[in-house]
Amino acid sequence: MITELKSPRLFLRKMNVLDKAQLFEIWSDPEVTKYMNIDRFTSMKQVEEMIQLFDTLSQNNEAIRYSIIELASEEIIGTCGFNAIDYDNAKAEIGYDLRRKYWGKGYAAEAMTSLIHYAFNDLNINRIEAKIEPENRNSIKLIERLGFNYEGTLREAEKSKGQFINLKLYSKLASDK
């Protein structure tokens, strides 16, 4: 898998341990992690474990997570990537998180557009899925703007923060381009 992607304002680079301090700032913010399937991080060790998990998944071609770097400031402003890749069925699940001060500025859409392009054009993925908590209206708006179609609600599909949660399932097909 490609470890670097570029867009007009962003540089996406495979997460690594050198990113841990900036990622801790992001993942320790309860507003950022509100709709993630993790509790806000309280230690650097948690960040290191997350980076190691995604590194292992990447080495096995099962997932990849990128640090989103704003070119102008060279600051890590979030992460994005494929939470799961199923090559047998040519599908992937996409996800992202963004530092709060960068919300509403088009950065998430720009990063996700890069990932979508990479999935369809380089990885030969046919279907990209996004699973979003129903209350996460901003992510739902984003994914709909990017041309994803709502397929239905997965009832109590995952356990997050000790409770089973519903997830809205969206998809985009290579033929939707």
Side-chain angles (χ1 to χ4, degrees), residues 5-13 68-77 102 107 110:
L5 299 167
K6 289 187 180 178
S7 66
R9 299 181 296 165
L10 303 173
F11 176 54
L12 280 56
R13 175 186 35 76
I68 304 170
I69 301 162
E70 182 192 39
L71 291 172
S73 67
E74 297 184 359
E75 179 179 20
I76 294 174
I77 65 170
Y102 291 95
Y107 289 109
E110 189 172 325

Side-chain angles (χ1 to χ4, degrees), residues 131-142:
K131 297 174 185 169
I132 305 170
E133 290 187 38
E135 297 80 19
N136 191 348
R137 290 180 184 85
N138 289 333
S139 283
I140 290 170
K141 284 183 206 170
L142 167 66

Side-chain angles (χ1 to χ4, degrees), residues 137-151:
R137 290 180 184 85
N138 289 333
S139 283
I140 290 170
K141 284 183 206 170
L142 167 66
I143 219 76
E144 288 175 344
R145 274 196 320 269
L146 293 174
F148 281 70
N149 294 301
Y150 174 65
E151 293 190 347

Side-chain angles (χ1 to χ4, degrees), residues 131 150 152-158 165-169:
K131 297 174 185 169
Y150 174 65
T153 299
L154 305 171
R155 298 173 44 223
E156 296 186 5
E158 290 181 8
I165 59 168
N166 295 337
L167 293 170
K168 287 189 166 197
L169 177 63

